[in-house]
Amino acid sequence: MSTIKDVARRAGVSLGTASRVLSGSTSTSPESRAKVQTAAAELGYIAHGPARSLRRSRTEVLGLLVSDIRNPFFSELAHAAESEAMKRGYAVLLANADEDEVQADEYLRIFASQRVDGLLLSPQGPVTPRLAALLASRLPVVLLNRSVEGLDAPLYATDNAQGVGLVLDWLERRGHRDVAFVGGPVTISTGAERQAAYLAGREAHGISTDDAFVDAGDFQAEGATAAMIRILDRGVLPTAVFGANGPTTLGVLHGLRERLGAEAASRIEVISFDDLEWFEFASPPITSVRNDAAAIGRLGVRGLIDLIEGREAASARIAMSLVDRSLVDRSSASRPVS
Amino acid sequence: MSTIKDVARRAGVSLGTASRVLSGSTSTSPESRAKVQTAAAELGYIAHGPARSLRRSRTEVLGLLVSDIRNPFFSELAHAAESEAMKRGYAVLLANADEDEVQADEYLRIFASQRVDGLLLSPQGPVTPRLAALLASRLPVVLLNRSVEGLDAPLYATDNAQGVGLVLDWLERRGHRDVAFVGGPVTISTGAERQAAYLAGREAHGISTDDAFVDAGDFQAEGATAAMIRILDRGVLPTAVFGANGPTTLGVLHGLRERLGAEAASRIEVISFDDLEWFEFASPPITSVRNDAAAIGRLGVRGLIDLIEGREAASARIAMSLVDRSLVDRSSASRPVS
DNA sequence: CTGTTAGCGCGTTCAA
DNA sequence: TTGAACGCGCTAACAG
């Protein structure tokens, strides 16, 4: 790989001039500009990022730490974040914490070592010492979707209360009284917020306040299946189930089938926080409130770059929208086919 | 952030000694070793990656270029790749080409600039000049899932012919004769291989060789929907449809519903290349051949690190397995519920 | 506007 | 085993 020295030599100018042309800092004469540019093109010169970073103490790399890129919510978020970052000249280092604090912490070390310019964080748990150290070093950070106590950073997140409100309205409209709720860990802000909003709103929407209908998993499919089964094993039979995120809803379906069989399960309506592309093909189709992951990713990157470049960044709550897939009225849908 | 200089000063040793202890190159006395380590721990010292990279001309960063991280196949692959890379001490820069050659090329520039140690590549199209230049500079590269002409690198990929064989066997077992095939672009090796294997095997498995049943999309849902509709609009009615990748199968379902309605669509069996977690909840359930994306990602990273460290790396084809979800025999399943 | 020079933080060489 | 010095490639400060 050729260096800027090679370019300068070939263009017949000094190293400084070549640098000025290539990074466009101060003005240069049209002639040297042309000479340097053709020389660079001929050599296929590509600036050495690490060297530039060392000198400028900025890497133009962002760190993105999510819990699991396999969760469609995060893969859509990552896609949007990465696309927005590239548009603004930043690359993205990806990290999957797998909902594991230790692993998350290890990634923070790698990010710190790579000297990322900023951090997009969907926190796994409390603020670890290493994260505290990074914050103390004034590394710009924005939070995605989840907040965490003691971390004062702009938050780009779903409007959980509003989304749950849409769910409650829909449940009431559909005439459901016996509704099961499968939540996520209350140690995660999204889990706590969604559960709190649901519990608080149940009564006003004519939904049973029997806590036998309520349980929580780990925001993954397996944990949700177990939670769904626990609910059914308490001897209650819901007419509808509310899953608190995408993987949870998948787990709910598994749990319903496992305990009730496909036939009986198909008489229970399911509504989900997070919309998945296949919900319309389930039977009955699954209604959802759509969580705009792309918007969160995009806004997060913009906010982070604002912070990096010394501007202010304001938190934002992204409103959710109902995707109503209930085609028929319940009285007929809930009767077995005869 | 503290530098190695700070560590040396605090430990009361020279900069060289501190460096030797921290990077463990040559031997050091137990005393200075201890002093340096405690000093580093006290300061929370984290080596400056770019500086280290500049000096050692290795970044310990891998570039991962996929077509779309939102495709579950790639998000699973990315998850496994990234996890394997971390285990071996490498970070991963993520790039989404969005099936766009220009964007892919731009990412190659960023990777080159960041001086990644190696490249995991799922190519979008032909070898661009920039990719050729990177290869000429002897940057280690491995190919994931897709090969490309003129690029001689280890390939970690699905065994397309074997997978299609499983599909053909299943179609024959189920007694399907009128089978629609919705493929992907033949300009992509996976699209070409799957289509070729299917067309070559049709006759021997008792499947109609009428090409009205065959069309191709773009490996995304929308393109596949259009292809499915084109097939139906030719006036043929398949009893089964084979979708050549995950998003394609989703598009197939949309196409069937749009032209035939949910009721008639539910009498058509669908089989998919790539297994998605929701296939069992479709009606009828979707059978698939499972593409082990995690294995491809893991093996790709191992192979790439082998190359980086000067060892040989051999290509591998990953065998697929059938996930048969056909529960009932076709004669009863295809009769409308009465 | 341009050439020269210093130094970013680190690993490694050379002498001791 | 250790300290001193050099240079990786680049940008920025300075002098002209």
Side-chain angles (χ1 to χ4, degrees):
Chain A
M1 279 239 127
S2 49
T3 74
I4 199 170
K5 234 164 151 176
D6 302 322
V7 175
R9 193 179 319 123
R10 180 178 255 260
V13 298
S14 79
L15 202 138
T17 303
S19 169
R20 277 182 287 257
V21 169
L22 293 170
S23 50
S25 52
T26 56
S27 56
T28 49
S29 76
E31 303 96 67
S32 28
R33 180 170 217 79
K35 284 191 294 183
V36 169
Q37 277 167 343
T38 61
E42 285 165 5
L43 290 172
Y45 170 75
I46 297 180
H48 191 290
R52 166 176 282 179
S53 299
L54 176 57
R55 180 60 231 235
R56 308 207 307 177
S57 54
R58 321 183 350 190
T59 53
E60 314 216 303
V61 174
L62 307 180
L64 171 63
L65 180 60
V66 300
S67 52
D68 190 346
I69 190 79
R70 291 170 301 183
N71 178 339
F73 174 77
F74 286 117
S75 60
E76 191 182 335
L77 189 157
H79 179 267
E82 191 264 353
S83 156
E84 181 72 18
M86 196 197 65
K87 214 179 293 173
R88 318 281 293 267
Y90 286 81
V92 173
L93 270 176
L94 173 67
N96 281 284
D98 291 329
E99 301 280 359
D100 175 350
E101 278 178 47
V102 178
Q103 199 168 329
D105 214 49
E106 171 61 12
Y107 274 113
L108 290 180
R109 204 190 54 76
I110 293 181
F111 285 168
S113 159
Q114 294 290 337
R115 299 297 197 268
V116 296
D117 288 342
L119 204 51
L120 296 146
L121 196 63
S122 188
Q124 313 303 310
V127 176
T128 61
R130 178 161 288 143
L131 181 52
L134 281 177
L135 295 168
S137 75
R138 311 190 40 71
L139 177 72
V141 173
V142 301
L143 294 170
L144 300 178
N145 216 39
R146 299 176 180 177
S147 64
V148 53
E149 219 173 334
L151 205 174
D152 182 32
L155 169 65
Y156 300 90
T158 299
D159 191 336
N160 290 309
Q162 179 255 351
V164 171
L166 293 175
V167 171
L168 288 167
D169 290 344
W170 181 87
L171 288 167
E172 184 172 15
R173 237 170 21 242
R174 302 285 294 165
H176 289 291
R177 214 196 85 80
D178 294 345
V179 178
F181 173 78
V182 179
V186 290
T187 52
I188 295 177
S189 65
T190 46
E193 287 182 18
R194 291 170 198 174
Q195 176 155 341
Y198 175 75
L199 296 181
R202 278 186 303 185
E203 196 156 11
H205 289 79
I207 293 167
S208 161
T209 55
D210 182 349
D211 281 333
F213 283 114
V214 175
D215 211 312
D218 54 2
F219 269 160
Q220 318 249 52
E222 292 72 22
T225 299
M228 185 72 248
I229 288 176
R230 282 195 299 271
I231 292 173
L232 295 174
D233 285 353
R234 287 180 200 130
V236 298
L237 184 66
T239 60
V241 184
F242 173 20
N245 81 347
T248 294
T249 299
L250 178 67
V252 161
L253 294 191
H254 278 125
L256 290 174
R257 282 223 177 169
E258 188 170 327
R259 265 300 175 274
L260 307 176
E263 178 68 18
S266 76
R267 283 193 293 275
I268 296 177
E269 284 201 315
V270 174
I271 182 164
S272 176
F273 215 94
D274 289 348
D275 188 45
L276 298 182
E277 56 187 14
W278 53 272
F279 281 174
E280 65 180 294
F281 298 111
S283 41
I286 298 172
T287 289
S288 71
V289 284
R290 187 192 299 272
N291 201 334
D292 193 348
I296 293 177
R298 222 167 19 241
L299 290 174
V301 166
R302 286 188 202 153
L304 184 55
I305 293 178
D306 282 342
L307 289 182
I308 291 170
E309 299 181 347
R311 294 186 294 274
E312 295 287 316
S315 298
R317 284 279 177 172
I318 288 82
M320 309 194 69
S321 54
L322 181 76
V323 183
D324 191 347
R325 298 203 177 87
S326 51
L327 303 170
V328 289
D329 75 73
R330 278 225 302 137
S331 55
S332 73
S334 61
R335 258 201 306 269
V337 183
S338 59
Chain B
M1 280 240 125
S2 51
T3 74
I4 198 170
K5 232 164 149 177
D6 303 322
V7 175
R9 191 178 321 122
R10 180 179 258 259
V13 298
S14 81
L15 202 143
T17 302
S19 170
R20 277 181 286 258
V21 168
L22 293 170
S23 51
S25 51
T26 56
S27 54
T28 50
S29 73
E31 305 95 66
S32 28
R33 178 168 220 80
K35 283 191 293 183
V36 169
Q37 278 167 344
T38 61
E42 285 165 6
L43 290 171
Y45 170 72
I46 298 180
H48 191 292
R52 166 177 281 181
S53 300
L54 178 56
R55 179 62 233 237
R56 307 205 307 175
S57 52
R58 318 183 353 184
T59 53
E60 313 214 303
V61 174
L62 307 180
L64 171 63
L65 179 59
V66 298
S67 53
D68 190 345
I69 190 79
R70 291 171 299 183
N71 177 339
F73 173 76
F74 286 117
S75 62
E76 192 183 336
L77 190 157
H79 179 267
E82 189 266 70
S83 157
E84 180 72 18
M86 196 198 64
K87 215 179 293 172
R88 316 283 292 271
Y90 287 81
V92 173
L93 271 176
L94 173 67
N96 282 284
D98 290 330
E99 301 281 0
D100 175 350
E101 279 177 45
V102 178
Q103 199 167 328
D105 214 50
E106 171 61 11
Y107 275 113
L108 290 181
R109 202 190 57 74
I110 293 181
F111 285 167
S113 160
Q114 295 289 338
R115 297 298 196 269
V116 296
D117 288 343
L119 204 52
L120 296 146
L121 196 62
S122 187
Q124 313 303 309
V127 176
T128 61
R130 178 162 286 143
L131 180 52
L134 282 177
L135 294 168
S137 76
R138 309 189 44 70
L139 177 73
V141 172
V142 300
L143 294 171
L144 300 178
N145 215 38
R146 299 176 179 178
S147 64
V148 52
E149 219 174 333
L151 205 173
D152 182 31
L155 169 65
Y156 300 90
T158 301
D159 192 336
N160 290 308
Q162 178 255 351
V164 170
L166 294 174
V167 171
L168 288 167
D169 290 343
W170 182 86
L171 287 169
E172 184 172 13
R173 234 166 28 239
R174 302 286 293 164
H176 289 291
R177 214 195 85 80
D178 293 346
V179 178
F181 174 79
V182 179
V186 290
T187 52
I188 295 177
S189 65
T190 46
E193 286 181 19
R194 290 170 198 175
Q195 175 156 341
Y198 175 74
L199 296 182
R202 278 186 302 184
E203 197 157 8
H205 288 78
I207 293 167
S208 161
T209 55
D210 182 350
D211 282 333
F213 283 115
V214 176
D215 210 312
D218 53 2
F219 270 160
Q220 317 250 50
E222 293 73 22
T225 299
M228 185 73 248
I229 288 176
R230 282 195 300 272
I231 291 174
L232 296 173
D233 284 353
R234 289 182 197 128
V236 298
L237 185 67
T239 61
V241 184
F242 173 20
N245 82 345
T248 295
T249 299
L250 178 67
V252 162
L253 294 190
H254 278 124
L256 290 173
R257 282 223 177 169
E258 190 171 326
R259 265 302 176 274
L260 307 175
E263 178 66 20
S266 77
R267 283 194 293 274
I268 296 177
E269 285 201 315
V270 174
I271 182 163
S272 175
F273 215 94
D274 289 347
D275 188 45
L276 298 182
E277 57 188 13
W278 53 272
F279 280 174
E280 66 181 294
F281 297 111
S283 41
I286 297 172
T287 289
S288 72
V289 284
R290 187 192 298 271
N291 200 335
D292 193 347
I296 293 177
R298 223 168 17 241
L299 290 174
V301 166
R302 285 189 202 153
L304 184 56
I305 293 178
D306 282 341
L307 289 181
I308 291 170
E309 299 181 347
R311 293 185 295 275
E312 296 287 317
S315 298
R317 284 279 176 172
I318 286 81
M320 309 194 68
S321 54
L322 181 75
V323 184
D324 191 346
R325 298 202 177 87
S326 50
L327 302 172
V328 289
D329 76 72
R330 279 223 302 136
S331 54
S332 72
S334 59
R335 257 199 308 269
V337 182
S338 57

